[in-house]
Amino acid sequence: MRLRSILLLVTATMAGRGLHAQATHSDTSVHDSAFAAMQERGHVVMGVDQYTSTHHFDDAPDGGRIVLVRNADDPAGAARIQSHLRAIAAAFSAGDFSAPALVHMQEVPGAQVMAAKRALIQYTVRDLRRGAELTIRARDPHAVRAVHDFLAFQRSEHHAMQ
C-alpha cells in the first residue's frame, strides 16, 4: 500500500478507537498525547500493543539491529512481530520506508539514503521466542551512517534503550 492509503487507514482506525494524532492541552499533555498516538499507530502497523512490547535499536560498526519482543509469553503476538519484521525487511530491501514514516508521521532520518543505497544494505530477520530481530548490515560508510541516523531517531521516538 502507498503511504497515503496507509495514513488514511490508520487515521480511520485511530478515530474508530477514539484516538487523535494531536492534543491541544499543555506541552506535557501534547507530548504525552503525541507519544500515545505514535504508539497507537505502531500498534496498527506492527500488530502488537506497543506498551506491552519492548523495542531495541542498536548500532553496530556495520549497521545495527532492531529487536521487537513481547514483554510476556504471547505466541500469537510473537508470530505477528516475526511476520512484521519479515515484511519490513522486504520493504526496506525494496527501498520502501513507508511503515516507519506512517508510525512517526514524518520521513525518518536516514531513510532516504537507505532507500537510495538499498543494493548495498542487507536485512536479515531472526525469530526470537517472544518476537524477532532485524539485523541491518552495510559496507558503504554513507549507508552505515544512514542506518545509525535511522536507529537513533527510532530509539529516541520510542523511548527505547540501546
Side-chain angles (χ1 to χ4, degrees):
M1 251 192 265
R2 307 295 283 163
L3 179 58
R4 186 171 175 78
S5 299
I6 295 171
L7 281 170
L8 292 172
L9 175 65
V10 170
T11 302
T13 301
M14 289 174 63
R17 293 181 184 187
L19 298 166
H20 306 285
Q22 276 190 349
T24 57
H25 303 298
S26 72
D27 288 344
T28 301
S29 71
V30 169
H31 175 73
D32 292 346
S33 295
F35 181 75
M38 182 206 53
Q39 293 288 80
E40 181 61 24
R41 289 188 303 271
H43 184 175
V44 171
V45 170
M46 296 173 222
V48 294
D49 184 344
Q50 300 298 283
Y51 290 105
T52 58
S53 301
T54 299
H55 265 110
H56 290 274
F57 302 92
D58 303 321
D59 291 345
D62 63 349
R65 71 184 187 137
I66 300 169
V67 177
L68 178 57
V69 293
R70 300 293 289 141
N71 294 341
D73 286 334
D74 175 10
R80 284 191 297 277
I81 289 170
Q82 293 160 358
S83 176
H84 168 69
L85 285 184
R86 280 188 194 83
I88 287 297
F92 287 8
S93 292
D96 178 0
F97 289 81
S98 59
L102 171 62
V103 171
H104 299 285
M105 299 297 284
Q106 69 179 60
E107 185 176 299
V108 175
Q112 267 191 352
V113 173
M114 290 169 71
K117 295 188 173 279
R118 65 184 169 269
L120 304 175
I121 303 173
Q122 286 184 313
Y123 299 93
T124 307
V125 177
R126 181 174 67 97
D127 291 351
L128 304 173
R129 186 170 64 88
R130 291 186 176 170
E133 169 188 71
L134 171 62
T135 301
I136 307 167
R137 289 201 168 96
R139 291 185 182 189
D140 178 86
H142 297 293
V144 171
R145 177 76 251 154
V147 170
H148 289 172
D149 291 346
F150 181 87
L151 295 172
F153 176 84
Q154 296 281 4
R155 199 168 32 252
S156 174
E157 289 291 298
H158 286 279
H159 304 170
M161 303 292 285
Q162 181 175 11

